[in-house]
Amino acid sequence: MDWWQALILGIVEGATEYLPVSSTGHLIVAMRAIGLEKTQATDAYAICIQSGAILAVLGLYRARFRQMAKGLLGRDRQGRELALNLTISFGITGVLGLAFSHWIEKHLFLVSYVVMAWLVGGLAILLVAWSKQGRPGRVGFDLDTLGWKQAAVIGLAQALAMWPGTSRSLITIAAGLMLGMSIGAAVEFSFLLGVVTLLAAGALKAYQSGPLIMDMGLTNVLIGIIVAALAAWISIKWMVSYLRRHGLAIFGYYRIAIGVVVGLLVISGWLPDQIKSTKVSVPPRAIEVTAPAVP
């Protein structure tokens, strides 16, 4: 991996991680476009640089995390309940993730499947945006009144995002809106749940593939993390500000547009659907020939 490839992947990861457009789908397409093979090392790298996006949310929502910390110490009831709800949501997603993640990584990490998810997700966003639940400024309940049953439903919905291209943010925000949350509360809970989910996924991947990540080079890892953090910070600030005045429809149109464009590129052969892992050719061992001794 070259530094410019790490830079591109960091921008893509940070800019799309918390938008309802699927960061995984964008990373898969970006890797294909810049010539990176799909290997265990590149998969591990994609998970690793998510820590940059996590840092952005930790910084922007530090007050919420302080509230939850106080709640765990018994000093803030609402903070304790929020931490419990996040635990319930993540617990359901985590169990389903451990059960199906290996099969999904083996069979669904193709550009064509990402395109399908983009198109279906785009239509789903438009349906939500055109409904009364998705209208900007609609009145809904806030994060402090979220119950554990509703948190469980959001966790179950988040598991659907294991399909590449679906978007974890899309699923969790849409589920929150359909349950009656305000747009602001649904977005914030999605961000907070994303931190817990990404931390767990990153820790598991680092444990399983730590040495493979370092194969990409320490400099490239740091570039990816730092750039992802900056891009995520900007992306989150823009999204929160935008949704206060507008609805989710723009993301639906975007998903449909990029799904059509990338789908046409795959059909035309300009973008490979799947790149086989590069086989490392080992040069034949030099054979030392010793002349027979002259009698």
Side-chain angles (χ1 to χ4, degrees):
M1 176 183 286
D2 296 322
W3 69 268
W4 62 270
Q5 292 172 316
L7 180 67
I8 290 175
L9 294 182
I11 294 173
V12 172
E13 159 58 29
T16 61
E17 180 59 56
Y18 294 104
L19 299 182
V21 296
S22 175
S23 61
T24 301
H26 280 76
L27 284 172
I28 290 173
V29 173
M31 286 183 179
R32 302 291 191 273
I34 63 179
L36 285 178
E37 307 282 352
K38 175 176 168 48
T39 64
Q40 287 183 315
T42 55
D43 288 347
Y45 182 83
I47 297 294
C48 174
I49 61 176
Q50 289 178 344
S51 58
I54 294 172
L55 291 175
V57 175
L58 290 175
L60 288 168
Y61 290 91
R62 54 189 177 276
R64 278 293 190 186
F65 288 102
R66 283 198 298 266
Q67 181 187 29
M68 286 188 284
K70 291 180 180 179
L72 294 176
L73 295 175
R75 294 159 51 190
D76 191 307
R77 181 183 60 81
Q78 292 179 337
R80 183 179 67 252
E81 291 178 354
L82 178 57
L84 176 61
N85 287 331
L86 288 174
T87 302
I88 292 171
S89 293
F90 167 72
I92 294 174
T93 302
V95 170
L96 294 175
L98 290 175
F100 296 104
S101 60
H102 179 72
W103 184 90
I104 290 173
E105 288 184 7
K106 184 178 180 180
H107 296 283
L108 297 184
F109 273 64
L110 299 174
V111 177
S112 56
Y113 287 128
V114 172
V115 169
M116 291 170 54
W118 269 335
L119 295 175
V120 173
L123 293 174
I125 285 182
L126 292 179
L127 290 175
V128 173
W130 293 336
S131 68
K132 62 179 182 180
Q133 285 85 356
R135 293 173 186 169
R138 62 176 283 273
V139 177
F141 65 84
D142 59 24
L143 202 56
D144 294 330
T145 56
L146 179 69
W148 70 267
K149 293 181 180 179
Q150 295 155 323
V153 172
I154 294 175
L156 184 62
Q158 182 180 229
L160 298 175
M162 290 187 292
W163 183 300
T166 302
S167 173
R168 187 200 59 78
S169 294
L170 162 63
I171 290 294
T172 51
I173 292 173
L177 292 177
M178 299 308 292
L179 289 170
M181 298 178 73
S182 67
I183 290 181
V187 170
E188 184 176 359
F189 189 76
S190 173
F191 289 167
L192 298 177
L193 180 57
V195 169
V196 180
T197 304
L198 297 179
L199 274 174
L204 179 62
K205 201 69 175 181
Y207 173 76
Q208 295 173 339
S209 310
L212 293 175
I213 297 175
M214 299 315 298
D215 287 346
M216 295 296 183
L218 179 59
T219 300
N220 291 329
V221 171
L222 293 177
I223 288 175
I225 292 174
I226 293 171
V227 173
L230 294 174
W233 186 287
I234 296 172
S235 177
I236 292 169
K237 295 284 285 185
W238 171 82
M239 180 179 177
V240 172
S241 175
Y242 180 86
L243 290 179
R244 287 173 181 168
R245 295 170 283 116
H246 308 282
L248 291 166
I250 187 176
F251 300 109
Y253 292 126
Y254 172 82
R255 288 177 66 104
I256 292 173
I258 193 174
V260 170
V261 171
V262 174
L264 291 175
L265 290 176
V266 173
I267 293 173
S268 65
W270 282 91
L271 185 67
D273 192 16
Q274 181 179 27
I275 298 178
K276 296 181 180 179
S277 299
T278 303
K279 293 182 179 180
V280 180
S281 57
V282 181
R285 183 180 298 176
I287 300 176
E288 184 177 343
V289 179
T290 305
V294 180

